[in-house]
C-alpha cells in the first residue's frame, strides 16, 4: 500500500520536544485559510441558488 504522507521526511514524534516543522508550504491547506476570487464566490453562489431552486422547485411542483 502506498504511503502518501511521506513519513520518511518527518522526524520522529517526541512529546517532550515539540517544534513546528520547518517545511514550507504546510502538508495540506484547507479552504478557510485560502484566498478566494470574486469569480469563485460568484460561481459558488450561482451553484447554491440553482440547487435551492431545484430542491424547492421540485417540492413545490409536486404539491
Amino acid at each position: 500500500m502506498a504511503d502518501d504522507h511521506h513519513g520518511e521526511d518527518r522526524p520522529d514524534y517526541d512529546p517532550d520536544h515539540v517544534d513546528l516543522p520547518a517545511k514550507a508550504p504546510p502538508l495540506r491547506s484547507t479552504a478557510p485559510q485560502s484566498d478566494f476570487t470574486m469569480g469563485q464566490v460568484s460561481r459558488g453562489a450561482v451553484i447554491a441558488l440553482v440547487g435551492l431552486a431545484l430542491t424547492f422547485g421540485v417540492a413545490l411542483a409536486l404539491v
Side-chain angles (χ1 to χ4, degrees):
M1 179 196 278
D3 181 13
D4 293 334
H5 296 289
H6 307 288
E8 67 276 357
D9 294 340
R10 297 182 184 181
D12 290 334
Y13 178 69
D14 181 7
D16 295 327
H17 184 69
V18 179
D19 286 330
L20 294 176
K23 184 187 264 187
L27 294 176
R28 75 180 159 187
S29 174
T30 55
Q33 289 82 21
S34 301
D35 292 332
F36 297 107
T37 64
M38 282 308 295
Q40 291 171 324
V41 172
S42 300
R43 188 177 316 131
V46 168
I47 291 170
L49 289 174
V50 168
L52 287 170
L54 287 174
T55 301
F56 290 106
V58 169
L60 290 173
L62 295 175
V63 172

